[in-house]
Amino acid sequence: MQKQNHLIKIYHLMKPFMDENFLLQSETAQKLYHEHAAKMPIIDYHCHLVPRQVAENKRFESITQIWLGGDHYKWRAMRSNGVAERFITGKDTSDWEKFEKWAETVPYTFRNPLYHWTHLELKTAFGINKTLNPENAREIFEECNDQIKKDPKFTPRGLMKHYNVKVVCTTDDPVDSLEYHKQVADDPTMETKMLPTWRPDKAMAVEVPANFKAYVDKLSEVSGKAINGFNDYIDAIQARHDFFASMGCKLSDHGIEEFYAEDYTDEEIKAIFNKVYNGKELCKEEILKFKSAMMHIFGVQDAEAGWAQQFHYGAIRDNNSKMFKLIGPDTGFDSIGEFNTAKKCSKFLDRLNSEGKLAKTILYNLNPCANEVLATMLGNFQDGSIPGKIQWGSGWWFLDQKDGMTKQMNALSLLGLLSRFVGMLTDSRSFLSYPRHEYFRRILCNLVATDIENGEVPYVGYEEKRVNQMIEDIAYNNAKNYFQF
């Protein structure tokens, strides 16, 4: 009896899972979140949504399609749990079979952010407060599918409205037509702005000459400009840059292993372009010089257009060559890399800054060992023109979880200005990922509230207003002002 009473006492002391005060460990945290962060709209300034699905307002047939399709975070977890690939990316298995295997995996994801994301999405999108497991998988699968069929909310546009999303910025190649962005922009019923983001990675990918030549030829076709040399190539890229700007683009994004800042001459770059375009392989030095030149040109173009530039660096992609051949890139076989980038990053930014061509810049590291490196890099190039001109982006990819985001905000707080931070983004291919903004906001509010509770930050009078405003700014206002949406 005594043991039973002890267990009952422990049970009553436990916080319920994912109630309204989830992750909010004090009354101050609860106030900051519920009265300030939660009410702010969402600006999702970096994602990988498919523009066509937004333009056509795609109707999904099941929770599997809207939830598991393209989500390599879940795919990695399922593989780690021993799920065969046919139940993950296979074409010969049903939506139910894939969902069933995910439901079997979920109870094995304790302490992984997927467990929290999964249940935040079920709760905020479907109103389902049950924890997903094999025993109730069929029930939840059918309940979700029933809602998807009956409720127009479960479309791309409906979900954006549901989560109060004001702006989404997709990720687009310079040769993309942006036809679906135009379709959305011309639709008076669309309540969320969908803007393109310039992602010119392929424009400097000279490792495989045949692929690069095909890209140059495609660029020539879409730009309407003949390309007979490097200068023509840059003219064609500039034409597409201008076109993106005319379609509302305000950001570029670059997915790079490391920063490129080799010394080069114009004559060298022209010769390298001719060499690779004519099908000859480049040596490592030539590749690095060409990438360095292109990165500098991209930076100048962004500055002259008044855009912000983003750099996501530090990933080793497509590690599993066998699976890359079978199912292609972006399928869950990437990892954190080790690169010594501090000097190159500094040199790259300094070149642009010295020419008066350093645009608003957001830096994202994938390896957490670079946290303090980037937090201190920001201050080198702030110029007083706008608050937080050089930003350190939120925890990215493998760092997009409670520990990673907390460490990023702690380092930024200690070495920069957290109050000028442009906040969260989904970096997602799923229309159900917007609760990641809620997750971030709850973590932010709890972090700040802990300092208040410990007497490290004042919370009375003017300072109370300043803290409240800071929370609202990081949640929404800073991004709105920074990108001029």
Side-chain angles (χ1 to χ4, degrees), residues 14-26:
M14 288 191 300
K15 287 187 174 182
F17 175 67
M18 202 167 282
D19 65 0
E20 65 176 6
N21 293 321
F22 175 58
L23 299 178
L24 306 173
Q25 298 175 354
S26 67

Side-chain angles (χ1 to χ4, degrees), residues 186-457:
D186 292 343
D187 187 345
T189 67
M190 181 66 179
E191 299 183 34
T192 302
K193 284 185 179 181
M194 182 177 75
L195 303 178
T197 296
W198 174 263
R199 179 75 174 249
D201 296 356
K202 293 180 181 178
M204 64 178 196
V206 288
E207 289 84 352
V208 181
N211 291 349
F212 182 71
K213 183 181 188 306
Y215 186 83
V216 174
D217 292 343
K218 179 65 175 178
L219 177 66
S220 176
E221 176 188 339
V222 300
S223 66
K225 292 183 177 294
I227 298 177
N228 297 310
F230 183 70
N231 289 341
D232 294 337
Y233 183 56
I234 298 306
D235 287 344
I237 289 175
Q238 183 65 61
R240 296 304 294 172
H241 199 277
D242 294 341
F243 170 66
F244 269 58
S246 73
M247 295 296 292
C249 181
K250 295 179 182 291
L251 300 93
S252 71
D253 181 60
H254 308 265
I256 54 178
E257 281 193 352
E258 54 186 318
F259 286 90
Y260 304 102
E262 303 297 318
D263 294 325
Y264 58 84
T265 66
D266 292 343
E267 289 72 23
E268 283 180 309
I269 301 305
K270 291 175 182 177
I272 291 170
F273 176 85
N274 291 335
K275 180 179 178 180
V276 69
Y277 185 74
N278 288 316
K280 298 179 180 178
E281 291 193 8
L282 303 177
C283 67
K284 182 178 180 180
E285 182 183 7
E286 290 171 323
I287 292 172
L288 291 176
K289 285 188 175 185
F290 190 82
K291 288 181 182 290
S292 298
M294 294 305 300
M295 288 281 289
H296 184 77
I297 290 167
F298 294 149
V300 171
Q301 290 175 333
D302 290 350
E304 292 179 346
W307 291 2
Q309 56 183 354
Q310 302 174 93
F311 297 96
H312 290 83
Y313 83 94
I316 304 178
R317 299 175 185 270
D318 307 317
N319 293 269
N320 190 324
S321 58
K322 175 184 175 181
M323 294 306 294
F324 178 76
K325 292 175 183 176
L326 287 173
I327 59 177
D330 303 320
T331 50
F333 298 97
D334 311 303
S335 61
I336 293 172
E338 292 179 327
F339 303 97
N340 187 2
T341 63
K343 286 188 176 181
K344 290 182 180 179
C345 177
S346 176
K347 186 176 180 180
F348 168 73
L349 296 174
D350 188 55
R351 275 180 176 174
L352 291 169
N353 189 62
S354 296
E355 297 174 7
K357 299 294 185 181
L358 181 56
K360 291 178 287 188
T361 302
I362 308 177
L363 306 171
Y364 304 83
N365 59 298
L366 193 58
N367 194 323
C369 74
N371 279 1
E372 283 73 18
V373 171
L374 282 196
T376 56
M377 188 68 68
L378 310 181
N380 297 334
F381 300 102
Q382 307 287 15
D383 60 12
S385 59
I386 63 168
K389 177 181 177 179
I390 313 301
Q391 290 274 333
W392 178 20
S394 181
W396 169 48
W397 203 342
F398 298 111
L399 307 183
D400 181 11
Q401 27 77 6
K402 186 173 71 168
D403 182 63
M405 289 189 286
T406 298
K407 286 179 178 177
Q408 186 267 352
M409 286 190 280
N410 275 331
L412 180 57
S413 301
L414 294 171
L415 301 168
L417 294 180
L418 178 66
S419 55
R420 293 300 188 180
F421 181 30
V422 292
M424 188 57 176
L425 57 141
T426 63
D427 190 29
S428 175
R429 291 167 173 78
S430 170
F431 292 97
L432 281 180
S433 292
Y434 296 115
R436 293 184 191 180
H437 283 264
E438 175 181 336
Y439 197 56
F440 166 84
R441 292 174 182 184
R442 288 176 179 271
I443 293 167
L444 166 68
C445 290
N446 195 68
L447 189 70
V448 174
T450 299
D451 287 346
I452 293 171
E453 295 287 327
N454 289 339
E456 297 176 37
V457 171

Side-chain angles (χ1 to χ4, degrees), residues 20-40:
E20 65 176 6
N21 293 321
F22 175 58
L23 299 178
L24 306 173
Q25 298 175 354
S26 67
E27 290 185 5
T28 305
Q30 294 162 19
K31 176 183 177 182
L32 290 177
Y33 177 73
H34 293 299
E35 296 183 14
H36 300 283
K39 70 180 184 181
M40 304 307 291

